[in-house]
Amino acid sequence: MQLQLPIFGLLCYMAVCLHAQDTLFETDALPMHNNNTVDQRLLPSVGNGHLGYVVKTDTLHVNGLYNGRGAESHRARVPTRNSIEIELSSDNVQLTETRNYQLDVAKGIWKEEIVVDQVCQVDMYVYAHQTYNRILVTQVHFKRLTDNSGRINQDPITITYTKIPTERMESEDLADEQTVEFDKYSWKRTATTRVAESESTMKSNVYMYYNDIPDKIAINQGDTNDNWYSYILSVDTVDSTAQKDFVDAEGILRSGSVDAHTTFLNNHTKKWEQVWNHGRIETSNSEYNRLAFSSLYYLLSSLPTLGETNTAKSQYYGLSPDGLANGGQGRDFYGHVLPDMEINMFPPILMFHPTVAKEMLSYRYHLRSAATSLAEEGGYKYPYESGTSGTELTGIELYEHRAYVSGDVAFAARQYLSATRDLTWLSDSGRTLMNNVANFLQSKANFDKALGAYGIDDVSGPDDYPGVVVDNSVYTNIGASNAIVYADYANCLLSQNAVSDEWLEKANDMAVLYDHKEMYHPEYEGYKKETVVNAADVILVGYPHDFEMPSDVRENDLDVYEEFTNFQVAPPTAKAMFTIGYLEVGNIDKAKNHFTQSYDYTRGDFNVWTNSTYGTDAVNYINGMGTFLQSLVFGYGGLRLRHEQIDFDPILPPSTDHMNLIGLEFLGSEFDFKFDSNMIYVNVTSLDESHPLQITTSDGRTFNLDEGEELSFSLQNGTISTTATTGCSLKPITGGLVSAASQVVLYPITFLWVTLVALFCSNA
């Protein structure tokens, strides 16, 4: 039986208590422009992966619903039918009210609280339902208050609704809009998007079911009952699906039960409480906790819900940098999906919710036909920007050369495989995905006699600043090499033939530019050390791409690109990745500096992120939230998801005395990983017996992990692995290291070779 009690500011669910100070974001004043209008860009959002809605606005977005051709494709605006403003009045008494606005991420709700002292209180709840996930809900709860003598107020009260929008009930993105009466109390509205995304795709149908909202509600004199009013909007691109959620929800809300409205609300909030029970980050620092909870909330609000839903979930169409609630025409990346999904947002979601991460990967597999068309010589080439068709939507010719996107997809696929060892997924779609990505990337690699290594020419890496295509982007080349060995590993797991020797030769002898005097990796062929960058591609090859190199070379890469990254315009992702990199090499002070600056991108009372430290160019920037979470999990938590184990080497974040990673998942087991300045504590809450887990610590001890028993040992590094090994391994990649100065291939076995040659030359 569930127990939910507020105790000393806690929200308790079963054995889990969340601190309201960490999960409740509230204010008495909404963010305003200088002209005294509400700044809607800084308002929070609610969502469930199918619907995304910025509160107090007139726009709803739906997963996979876009309007516009090519680069003009953007999330289609569906006008909300149940968004309202509330005013209170009374014929008997002058009402003086106070208002409070709350985003409660623990429950996944937006709440507006209107209080007239000693008279009444009206609470309005807005949420995208977790079970009935086609439905946006607005609920109004009226209750009488008592005066100083304890007498319940009995004055007549009028609740007046003003609908949002007042003038934009028609959408510029939808055509052929028709409204018919569905039943006595509700309506059905149909429409189609105006323009298909590509020549090969069709316009989308939109079906909306919603109930009447009266202009006023009269609370009669002497009526002392608590009164609930629920208004719902159900939206889908399939008529029967939208209708079923609407009818089933209405069946509960109109059942006549006194608890019908609270039952419907509690069904939703319990789902969110279960989410937090199985995945969250806590420290002794409330500021970090608020950042972590809000970041996870906004990310998960744009991802498919956990658990069962009333109607089957539809195909998921990816995670865009600003989430599902944003992305209209001309703003917020138009709602397009970028490779940021795989690199910046996928890793932290995978560690806590691998089933949701699997849905993210399904987007790429679903669009494999378009990826085949984009790959001229075979395999899957994924676009830099995509929507529902899988065609390239960037509109910038340079970005069409971003072959690295396919390498990022391969990275995510290998990460999912390592975290879950999901052989069913691998057999059904994963192996096909990984082999075709590898095929495309190997086809781009050609032997360069001048370099004496394989190279990939005419590409654009993540860094925008070159402004032209370049040859042998280090990020692209290493991503290509990794993709090939990932495909080989996937084949081994299914006892299939290894990839060809030719592919493996390309993987092992891919040109990796290296300046043997300065001991760092130039970003691309012809890169000059003083050249300013905005993305610091190279630091990403150490993490998250796990390219092995000596610690001093890794630190040199970080130092070089720290000096020449334009942080004034760089997004928060850069700061987070520098944090992780410097922690990796043990430079704690520099890591702290980048970490504390990485969340300077938050705005307002609801922890809305932007992609720059000035203005509101792109909101709500969940891309930056993803890398902030990575700085906690993989930076200070010190976790690394290797191909068949998790490495750990934790260090406390600044101004904390403990950190807890609750609900980590690995190979079907769930566990909590906690540490302070002296000890590490691991508690397995659910163990998959087919993959028994063990911990090996750097002091030479090995512990078996048992369900329900907490293991503790002194703070140190180590590994979490399973005794059920596969017999498969990732083939090591050394890379065809190329002297950036002379373009002469050194063909070293390790970086030690390069270092020795450099020392010899400098002393000659």
Side-chain angles (χ1 to χ4, degrees):
M1 180 178 179
Q2 180 168 289
L3 176 65
Q4 182 178 311
L5 295 171
I7 304 174
F8 303 114
L10 301 183
L11 174 68
C12 296
Y13 171 74
M14 299 177 66
V16 178
C17 289
L18 303 180
H19 293 263
Q21 66 183 17
D22 299 335
T23 60
L24 186 64
F25 299 81
E26 62 180 329
T27 182
D28 295 330
L30 294 172
M32 306 296 286
H33 291 295
N34 291 334
N35 64 2
N36 206 34
T37 59
V38 175
D39 186 352
Q40 295 181 346
R41 302 283 282 162
L42 298 182
L43 292 173
S45 58
V46 296
N48 56 21
H50 180 74
L51 305 175
Y53 172 63
V54 176
V55 302
K56 301 183 75 64
T57 68
D58 61 12
T59 298
L60 182 69
H61 289 148
V62 180
N63 169 49
L65 186 66
Y66 289 78
N67 179 59
R69 180 63 57 89
E72 292 302 312
S73 175
H74 57 276
R75 295 199 189 278
R77 186 178 80 85
V78 176
T80 53
R81 302 284 156 173
N82 59 335
S83 299
I84 55 176
E85 298 281 9
I86 293 177
E87 295 294 335
L88 302 179
S89 60
S90 175
D91 294 335
N92 290 10
V93 64
Q94 179 71 32
L95 301 182
T96 302
E97 65 182 40
T98 60
R99 294 194 179 224
N100 184 260
Y101 307 92
Q102 302 176 5
L103 176 69
D104 189 339
V105 303
K107 298 179 180 179
I109 59 173
W110 166 259
K111 179 183 176 184
E112 295 188 34
E113 185 179 274
I114 308 169
V115 177
V116 180
D117 189 38
Q118 301 186 47
V119 176
C120 67
Q121 177 172 331
V122 176
D123 296 329
M124 180 169 67
Y125 302 90
V126 178
Y127 54 97
H129 208 286
Q130 287 284 295
T131 300
Y132 300 86
N133 72 326
R134 269 68 176 185
I135 291 182
L136 180 70
V137 184
T138 299
Q139 290 183 301
V140 177
H141 177 213
F142 174 89
K143 60 182 177 182
R144 300 277 189 177
L145 300 180
T146 59
D147 61 20
N148 292 331
S149 65
R151 183 181 66 87
I152 297 178
N153 178 275
Q154 299 190 26
D155 291 321
I157 303 293
T158 299
I159 304 173
T160 302
Y161 295 144
T162 301
K163 296 179 183 178
I164 308 171
T166 56
E167 300 176 350
R168 297 215 305 165
M169 296 303 286
E170 302 285 332
S171 171
E172 61 278 11
D173 293 323
L174 302 179
D176 303 322
E177 296 186 70
Q178 298 181 12
T179 303
V180 297
E181 190 174 46
F182 179 63
D183 62 25
K184 184 178 179 180
Y185 303 104
S186 55
W187 302 88
K188 174 183 178 180
R189 189 172 180 86
T190 60
T192 62
T193 53
R194 292 181 179 274
V195 183
E197 189 171 272
S198 71
E199 293 181 0
S200 61
T201 56
M202 300 180 66
K203 293 183 286 186
S204 297
N205 295 322
V206 185
Y207 301 92
M208 296 164 267
Y209 291 82
Y210 54 97
N211 40 31
D212 272 328
I213 299 179
D215 294 330
K216 296 180 179 180
I217 297 289
I219 310 297
N220 296 324
Q221 185 163 346
D223 181 355
T224 58
N225 294 322
D226 277 14
N227 293 282
W228 281 86
Y229 311 94
S230 294
Y231 311 106
I232 62 176
L233 166 67
S234 181
V235 185
D236 200 78
T237 56
V238 177
D239 189 6
S240 59
T241 303
Q243 183 180 131
K244 178 172 173 52
D245 260 15
F246 181 79
V247 170
D248 291 352
E250 282 281 273
I252 296 172
L253 294 168
R254 312 304 170 202
S255 65
S257 168
V258 294
D259 298 325
H261 301 274
T262 55
T263 296
F264 195 68
L265 171 62
N266 289 340
N267 176 275
H268 165 79
T269 60
K270 288 174 185 176
K271 285 287 191 74
W272 268 105
E273 289 158 1
Q274 291 168 11
V275 168
W276 298 122
N277 190 35
H278 295 282
R280 66 186 190 275
I281 302 169
E282 295 178 341
T283 73
S284 57
N285 186 310
S286 184
E287 180 183 19
Y288 300 162
N289 293 346
R290 289 174 66 80
L291 286 163
F293 271 106
S294 59
S295 295
L296 269 171
Y297 164 79
Y298 284 125
L299 276 162
L300 291 168
S301 294
S302 290
L303 287 164
T305 56
L306 290 165
E308 296 299 318
T309 51
N310 185 57
T311 52
K313 299 171 190 174
S314 56
Q315 171 62 47
Y316 182 61
Y317 280 96
L319 196 57
S320 59
D322 295 285
L324 181 54
N326 297 290
Q329 188 171 26
R331 56 173 53 182
D332 306 321
F333 301 94
Y334 289 62
H336 296 169
V337 178
L338 279 64
D340 306 57
M341 177 174 76
E342 282 82 9
I343 296 301
N344 296 334
M345 296 178 276
F346 182 88
I349 295 300
L350 174 64
M351 296 305 294
F352 294 107
H353 303 294
T355 57
V356 177
K358 183 179 179 179
E359 297 269 9
M360 298 167 75
L361 278 174
S362 77
Y363 169 68
R364 298 298 189 182
Y365 185 73
H366 180 68
L367 299 180
R368 62 194 180 280
S369 178
T372 300
S373 299
L374 290 172
E376 297 176 357
E377 299 181 29
Y380 295 167
K381 177 190 178 184
Y382 284 100
Y384 177 63
E385 296 185 37
S386 58
T388 55
S389 65
T391 56
E392 179 61 79
L393 303 180
T394 176
I396 300 175
E397 193 275 335
L398 175 65
Y399 294 171
E400 295 177 11
H401 294 266
R402 291 191 153 171
Y404 76 83
V405 178
S406 291
D408 289 351
V409 173
F411 160 81
R414 198 280 295 171
Q415 289 267 302
Y416 174 75
L417 190 56
S418 296
T420 64
R421 205 173 292 178
D422 185 347
L423 299 186
T424 300
W425 168 83
L426 186 62
S427 178
D428 290 345
S429 61
R431 178 172 173 264
T432 299
L433 176 70
M434 296 171 78
N435 275 267
N436 275 283
V437 164
N439 185 17
F440 163 68
L441 289 168
Q442 71 80 28
S443 75
K444 299 288 290 181
N446 297 294
F447 192 78
D448 187 321
K449 291 182 179 180
L451 297 180
Y454 288 92
I456 301 179
D457 295 339
D458 299 326
V459 298
S460 170
D463 179 20
D464 295 329
Y465 272 18
V468 296
V469 295
V470 299
D471 296 339
N472 293 312
S473 152
V474 169
Y475 186 89
T476 302
N477 286 11
I478 288 175
S481 293
N482 281 342
I484 293 169
V485 297
Y486 294 162
D488 185 66
Y489 174 65
N491 291 348
C492 177
L493 289 176
L494 292 180
S495 301
Q496 301 295 316
N497 293 332
V499 301
S500 71
D501 290 341
E502 178 187 0
W503 288 18
L504 290 173
E505 179 184 337
K506 290 182 178 182
N508 198 53
D509 291 334
M510 192 75 70
V512 178
L513 299 177
Y514 180 69
D515 188 319
H516 61 269
K517 290 185 178 180
E518 300 284 349
M519 295 180 64
Y520 86 104
H521 294 95
E523 188 176 284
Y524 50 82
E525 199 170 327
Y527 175 83
K528 304 299 182 183
K529 185 178 177 182
E530 66 276 9
T531 304
V532 175
V533 302
N534 82 324
D537 301 8
V538 172
I539 71 164
L540 302 179
V541 304
Y543 175 88
H545 280 290
D546 282 345
F547 184 71
E548 292 188 14
M549 65 185 85
S551 181
D552 57 346
V553 175
R554 173 76 163 130
E555 187 162 15
N556 287 341
D557 280 348
L558 290 161
D559 288 344
V560 166
Y561 292 102
E562 180 192 43
E563 181 178 358
F564 296 110
T565 294
N566 185 354
F567 288 111
Q568 290 185 336
V569 299
T573 53
K575 285 290 184 181
M577 290 304 184
F578 273 102
T579 299
I580 298 169
Y582 275 120
L583 286 170
E584 194 175 72
V585 299
N587 194 326
I588 308 305
D589 291 338
K590 281 196 171 184
K592 176 183 177 180
N593 180 56
H594 285 288
F595 176 70
T596 54
Q597 293 177 26
S598 70
Y599 48 87
D600 284 344
Y601 299 75
T602 57
R603 297 285 183 275
D605 296 298
F606 304 111
N607 275 14
V608 170
W609 287 57
T610 63
N611 70 333
S612 64
T613 54
Y614 54 89
T616 54
D617 180 31
V619 298
N620 189 2
Y621 199 58
I622 60 175
N623 200 25
M625 300 181 201
T627 52
F628 172 77
L629 293 170
Q630 288 194 59
S631 69
L632 291 176
V633 176
F634 304 105
Y636 288 101
L639 303 188
R640 290 293 184 277
L641 182 57
R642 310 302 187 190
H643 77 286
E644 291 197 355
Q645 67 186 42
I646 294 176
D647 293 348
F648 60 84
D649 190 10
I651 181 173
L652 285 173
S655 305
T656 62
D657 56 35
H658 70 267
M659 185 162 108
N660 306 336
L661 304 177
I662 308 297
L664 293 168
E665 291 196 35
F666 181 54
L667 300 181
S669 295
E670 184 175 328
F671 63 94
D672 304 336
F673 184 89
K674 309 176 184 180
F675 62 95
D676 55 30
S677 59
N678 298 307
M679 300 290 292
I680 294 175
Y681 308 88
V682 180
N683 179 36
V684 178
T685 54
S686 175
L687 182 66
D688 183 345
E689 294 183 356
S690 62
H691 297 100
L693 298 181
Q694 63 180 18
I695 286 183
T696 302
T697 56
S698 57
D699 62 9
R701 293 180 293 168
T702 298
F703 307 92
N704 293 323
L705 292 176
D706 297 314
E707 185 172 329
E709 295 185 12
E710 185 175 83
L711 172 69
S712 61
F713 49 91
S714 60
L715 186 72
Q716 58 190 291
N717 60 47
T719 63
I720 304 172
S721 60
T722 178
T723 54
T725 57
T726 65
C728 298
S729 61
L730 291 179
K731 291 182 170 61
I733 298 174
T734 58
L737 292 181
V738 177
S739 166
S742 65
Q743 305 300 331
V744 175
V745 178
L746 303 178
Y747 283 114
I749 302 301
T750 66
F751 272 84
L752 178 60
W753 246 84
V754 179
T755 305
L756 291 174
V757 171
L759 287 172
F760 175 79
C761 293
S762 64
N763 292 327

